[in-house]
Amino acid sequence: PRLAPSDPIREAYWTFEQRMRQLGLPRPPSVSPACYMEEISARQPQVKAMLLRLLELYQQVRYGGRPLPQHALEARDLAEEIPRRFPPP
């Protein structure tokens, strides 16, 4: 299992992945976060905008190296809300 990161937005994304794994929708290590979000949005198109926003925040922090503390709460809320839109396993 992957360890939770220290940045709040990366942690929110990690939480999102853990919750999706619990729903039977894990992200394989060989699949990029962007491709994973596309796969997930194909299953529940109504969450696509939320997925894209979470991905945007994650990528800015992960690959852009920019901390975005002002968006930490938004990322956490998205990470909690998106999995609720999927049926339990």
Side-chain angles (χ1 to χ4, degrees):
R2 299 174 189 147
L3 299 176
S6 59
D7 178 86
I9 291 176
R10 290 182 68 188
E11 185 175 340
Y13 182 81
W14 182 85
T15 298
F16 162 75
E17 281 197 359
Q18 297 306 307
R19 292 194 173 141
M20 296 308 289
R21 179 178 287 115
Q22 292 168 353
L23 291 170
L25 299 168
R27 180 179 70 85
S30 62
V31 174
S32 72
C35 288
Y36 180 61
M37 294 297 201
E38 284 297 321
E39 292 174 11
I40 296 297
S41 68
R43 293 174 176 263
Q44 292 285 6
Q46 72 273 18
V47 299
K48 186 170 186 171
M50 289 189 290
L51 288 166
L52 291 176
R53 179 61 179 156
L54 180 58
L55 178 64
E56 175 186 24
L57 293 171
Y58 172 75
Q59 287 178 329
Q60 287 179 22
V61 171
R62 174 68 173 89
Y63 303 111
R66 297 185 308 176
L68 300 170
Q70 70 274 22
H71 294 291
L73 182 59
E74 177 187 6
R76 190 190 76 208
D77 289 347
L78 289 167
E80 292 176 2
E81 182 57 31
I82 294 167
R84 290 186 190 130
R85 306 286 178 105
F86 288 79

